[in-house]
Every structure is written in C-alpha cells, then in structure tokens.
Amino acid sequence: MLGTILAYLIASPLTEDAFERDQLFQTILDRRAAILIAPASTVPMALMAANVTADRWPWVWMTIDLLLTGIRWRIMVDAQTSTEDRRRRQAGTLVWLGALWMLALGIATYLCLIAGSPALMIVSAVIGTGVACTITSRNAATPRHALFLLLLLGVPFALGMLRSPIEGMFVPAILAVVWIASLYLFVRQNHASMLRLIKAETAARRAAETDELTGLFNRAHFAERCRQLDEYSGGPADYGFLCVDLDGFKAVNDEHGHLVGDSLLREVASRMREVLRSDDVLFRLGGDEFVALLPRAAPQDCTDVADRLISAIRLPLVFENGLFVQVGASVGSACTCGKKISSAALLQSADAAMYRAKERGKGIHIHS
C-alpha cells in the first residue's frame, strides 16, 4: 500500500520515461541545505510557543523536529556514497520522513494559531509561508509529493485560522486555499524547467557517447566503461571483450564509395546488436572496428557470441538499385576467467587474437 502511494507521489505527471523520472526523484537527496536551515526557524517558534502557552507540546514538537532533521541529514550524507539502488530506497525513506516533519509543523502551526497570541500567530504564519515557498523549489522534481506537503501544512493552517479566538480570521483561512493553489502552480513551472534541463543533459550526454553513424556507443564511452570496470572496488564479475574487424570493407568502400560503405556499417551494426545477448554492449571504435563487452562471460560464451556475429555479418546486403555487397568478420576474444586483469590488458589480448584470426584466413574466431 505504502509502495503504491509512494510511486504515485514521486511520479512525474509530465513524462513516462523511467530514466527521467528516476533522475527527478533522486534530486530529493541532493538539497541538504534546506534540511539544516529549517530548525533555525522552527526551534525559535517552538521556544516562543512554550513561553506563551506554558504547555509541554512545544517541547515535544521541538524534540521531534530535531530528531527527524538529524535522521534526514544522515540519510542524505550516506546517499552520496550509496549505490543507485540504495539511493532510491533512501530517497523513498526521505519522502516519508519529510512528510512526518511537515505534519508535525502543520500541527504545531495549528496549535500556535488557536493559542490566541497575535505575536505567535504572526510568527507561525511567517514561518509557515517560508517553508511553503521552500517546498516549491526543493520538491519541484516531484510535484505530487510537493502538493502533499503543502496540504500537510496548509490544511492545519486554515483550520487554525478558523478556530482562532481573534475575529476575522476566516478570511486568511479562505486565502490559504488560494495560497496552496498558487504555490502548486509554481511547483509545476519549476518541475517543467527541471525536466527540460534533464532532457537537454541526457541528449548532450548521448551525443557525446554515441557514434553518429551507427548509433552504437563510441570510443569515449568505451574508455569510460573500462575505467568503471577497473575501479569497481568489489571486483567485477567475469567479463570478456570481443574485437571485431570487418573483412573486405575497404574494398567495398573504395569501389562503391562512402555512401555505400556507411550503409554497410549501419547494417552490420544492426545485425550485431540483434545477435548479442541482452546484457552485452557494443561499441564502434572507428572505421570498421567494433568491440563487444560481454558481462559474466566464460570462454564458451565468447565463442558462441563470436560465431553468431560472424554468421550474421557474412550475409549479403542488397541495395535498392540491385547492388550486391558482402563482407566478413574476423573476431578475437579474451575474458577475465577469474583472473585480476586490467581492461587495457584484456583488450590488448582480444585485439591480438583478432589479428591472428585475420592471418589464418579471416572469417574466423580465435579466443586468447
């Protein structure tokens, strides 16, 4: 039940893209300043309420406020070094802790408003307004969540105004509805701006790491993947590299021109993607040189994938004008097989195996 409610609260109403929604959701972990600034307002408000009312509830509220603040801060600090899955769980926890903090503030605001002290009413109204404005920016990534927080604060505020012993407070109570609605509009505007920024960053990153001709990942992204493999502190599971070089591509390019050569590369890339395993990643390093990264790969996995690649690539390509083109592929592979080896050394081993395959007649696979 709580999981369903959480999923609804954090979902963006403007995009169905899972990556974009996830990026928006995780921004809740990155704005720690507001967490620490909040007690600078709520603690003085609690002390003032304790002095005016002489009740114990302000002390209880202040204790809850500081406790929740400390827990939320700790989670946000820990999230900076957490895995992606753990960050998502931590962000979900923050949603509920933030709701509890806001509910406590809403109840405290209500009690301040019905206390009958004009000074306490003014202070609570000012602080409530400031917190509500903070919500419009800090939680704009999740507008439904932001609206939920606004209601947790705004409803007790309106009820407190209605029950205030001071005459005429029904007007501010009615205005609270307008106040929440207008703030939610700001939330939606901020949300749309954040989403546009994420889309732009995603497009720029894809352009930087993608080969324009084939749509495969490029050399720069391959270098980044290798860095991640080498730096993974837990030691990555066995993986392998397949180095693929086309046989006869230069002759096709020289005889029929670059347009035909480009079409051939696009078709080869498409065929290679179709026969790779679901977790395998294909890169074009340049020209007719390709590398496939095979996670959780043993020598037999490398052989199976390489055989499928060779069979798929050697199929002829017939153009609309009747032109018939056919190339082959030489493949060299290497895998970690439980050994601690750098990605550069593994790639060099697979590349050397590929050149041995070319020397032995091309169109074959050799595992190093």
Side-chain angles (χ1 to χ4, degrees):
M1 181 64 177
L2 287 179
T4 302
I5 296 174
L6 177 63
Y8 176 79
L9 290 177
I10 66 176
S12 167
L14 299 182
T15 178
E16 295 293 332
D17 186 272
F19 174 80
E20 291 172 353
R21 285 188 165 187
D22 187 58
Q23 291 297 297
L24 287 165
F25 174 44
Q26 292 195 50
T27 60
I28 194 175
L29 295 167
D30 301 327
R31 300 182 179 185
R32 290 177 285 175
I35 298 293
L36 291 184
I37 292 173
S41 299
T42 55
V43 169
M45 177 177 162
L47 292 174
M48 182 178 180
N51 182 63
V52 170
T53 65
D55 289 333
R56 285 193 294 182
W57 70 259
W59 300 103
V60 175
W61 169 46
M62 185 168 61
T63 301
I64 294 173
D65 184 283
L66 294 176
L67 181 62
L68 289 174
T69 297
I71 296 173
R72 294 163 73 199
W73 172 262
R74 186 60 192 171
I75 290 175
M76 295 180 80
V77 171
D78 288 344
Q80 303 308 305
T81 55
S82 296
T83 62
E84 286 296 308
D85 287 340
R86 188 162 182 242
R87 276 177 61 88
R88 293 185 185 95
R89 292 194 298 271
Q90 290 170 321
T93 301
L94 278 180
V95 168
W96 298 121
L97 290 176
L100 286 176
W101 185 89
M102 191 62 65
L103 178 61
L105 176 60
I107 293 173
T109 300
Y110 168 82
L111 295 173
C112 287
L113 293 174
I114 66 174
S117 169
L120 189 55
M121 290 183 65
I122 292 172
V123 168
S124 60
V126 169
I127 291 176
T129 302
V131 170
C133 291
T134 301
I135 291 173
T136 63
S137 59
R138 187 177 182 277
N139 297 282
T142 50
R144 293 168 181 167
H145 171 222
L147 178 60
F148 179 53
L149 296 179
L150 288 172
L151 290 172
L152 288 177
L153 179 61
V155 171
F157 178 87
L159 293 176
M161 285 294 184
L162 289 174
R163 292 203 58 195
S164 172
I166 300 177
E167 294 184 4
M169 289 297 103
F170 69 91
V171 175
I174 296 173
L175 291 176
V177 178
V178 180
W179 175 55
I180 293 173
S182 60
L183 287 176
Y184 182 63
L185 289 177
F186 283 119
V187 169
R188 290 293 294 261
Q189 291 173 358
N190 290 338
H191 177 72
S193 297
M194 292 180 70
L195 183 58
R196 284 195 296 270
L197 180 60
I198 288 175
K199 287 179 178 292
E201 290 177 346
T202 302
R205 183 172 61 253
R206 285 176 179 167
E209 64 187 19
T210 303
D211 173 57
E212 184 177 1
L213 177 64
T214 62
L216 302 177
F217 288 121
N218 59 17
R219 181 182 292 272
H221 189 59
F222 178 69
E224 174 62 19
R225 283 294 185 95
C226 288
R227 183 191 65 78
Q228 293 173 358
L229 289 170
D230 291 336
E231 292 183 358
Y232 183 57
S233 59
D238 286 343
Y239 68 95
F241 285 138
L242 264 64
C243 289
V244 183
D245 191 83
L246 301 186
D247 301 325
F249 174 74
K250 185 177 184 302
V252 171
N253 217 27
D254 291 344
E255 181 178 353
H256 301 291
H258 291 295
L259 290 179
V260 172
D262 289 349
S263 297
L264 177 60
L265 288 174
R266 283 192 291 267
E267 175 62 21
V268 166
S270 176
R271 293 179 182 181
M272 292 174 71
R273 275 188 298 226
E274 289 178 358
V275 300
L276 289 177
R277 303 176 307 174
S278 60
D279 292 339
D280 298 338
V281 187
L282 186 61
F283 306 84
R284 182 191 177 208
L285 302 189
D288 59 342
E289 299 177 23
F290 301 86
V291 172
L293 166 62
L294 277 58
R296 297 178 298 281
Q300 187 59 49
D301 297 311
C302 294
T303 298
D304 292 343
V305 173
D307 289 345
R308 293 201 299 270
L309 288 173
I310 292 171
S311 297
I313 291 172
R314 69 159 61 105
L315 294 174
L317 172 64
V318 180
F319 289 86
E320 292 182 357
N321 60 3
L323 177 65
F324 178 93
V325 174
Q326 187 172 22
V327 294
S330 297
V331 182
S333 64
C335 60
T336 55
C337 298
K339 297 177 292 186
K340 187 174 178 59
I341 181 173
S342 69
S343 61
L346 191 68
L347 179 65
Q348 184 177 16
S349 181
D351 194 52
M354 183 269 293
Y355 277 105
R356 291 200 299 273
K358 279 187 170 294
E359 292 170 358
R360 295 185 187 181
K362 303 180 180 180
I364 63 173
H365 162 246
I366 292 181
H367 182 77
S368 178

